[in-house]
Amino acid sequence: MYLAPRLYHSVVRPRWFTERYIHDHIKSHFAMDNKMVLDFGCGTGANCCMSPVDKYYGIDVNSKRIEFAKRLFPNYTFMAFDGKRIQIPDQTVDLILIVAVLHHIPNELISHYLHEFRRVLKPEGNVAVIEPYLCQKSKFNNWFMTRFDDGNYIRNEDDYLRLFINQQYDCRVLKKFRKCFLYNEVFFTAKPKGNSSTNYKQFQ
């Protein structure tokens, strides 16, 4: 079910919820200070507060959510995305955030985006992904997610990773957790092969 930007921000991305299930996980594995961040599929901009004002780009295909984010966080940079080329110069991004976005996108389009990610990432850059995933041991959660989430492409863990591996990315699962008892979430990092060593924090 599609939610208007204000309702989406209030219901889906309240501050406490976002900090607990997104920000705390990301900050525990990635140093955010002085890192240029691309928030791919930024929605209403709830993730921007993890970054300094001049180190954040938020993009989304939903222009209404982008306009709402600009009003809500006027000092940050948000741009509508045409679904083709990311309007950022080559090798300028340290970290790409992808939070609850891929399960809305078909495989062939993700493959195109992965080429764009490779282009905009610095040689030492990383991609951080948090997505709902289907788990064989959680049949009720699987049913709930596929029934009530508006994403049509919720995948299992291996299928998410394979999308990146097939495009010559190295992947590492950082954590799997349950969100609000109903969503199984996988948190992983991906890095284009041939880039220099990863810059995420030492794993716990």
Side-chain angles (χ1 to χ4, degrees), residues 98-111:
I98 306 176
V99 179
V101 176
L102 299 183
H103 72 288
H104 296 277
I105 305 174
N107 288 5
E108 59 273 14
L109 198 51
I110 292 174
S111 296

Side-chain angles (χ1 to χ4, degrees), residues 19 22 24 30-31 40 44 64 87 93 99-100 104 115 139 149 154 165 171 179 192 195 203:
E19 289 181 352
I22 299 173
D24 288 351
F30 293 91
F40 183 79
T44 54
K64 291 182 179 179
Q87 297 302 312
V93 175
V99 179
H104 296 277
H115 287 289
K139 296 188 182 301
D149 194 284
I154 300 177
I165 292 170
C171 298
K179 182 175 69 178
N195 286 13
F203 298 120

Side-chain angles (χ1 to χ4, degrees), residues 85-104:
R85 182 177 174 86
I86 298 172
Q87 297 302 312
I88 293 176
D90 297 359
Q91 298 188 359
T92 55
V93 175
D94 295 290
L95 180 65
I96 297 175
L97 297 180
I98 306 176
V99 179
V101 176
L102 299 183
H103 72 288
H104 296 277

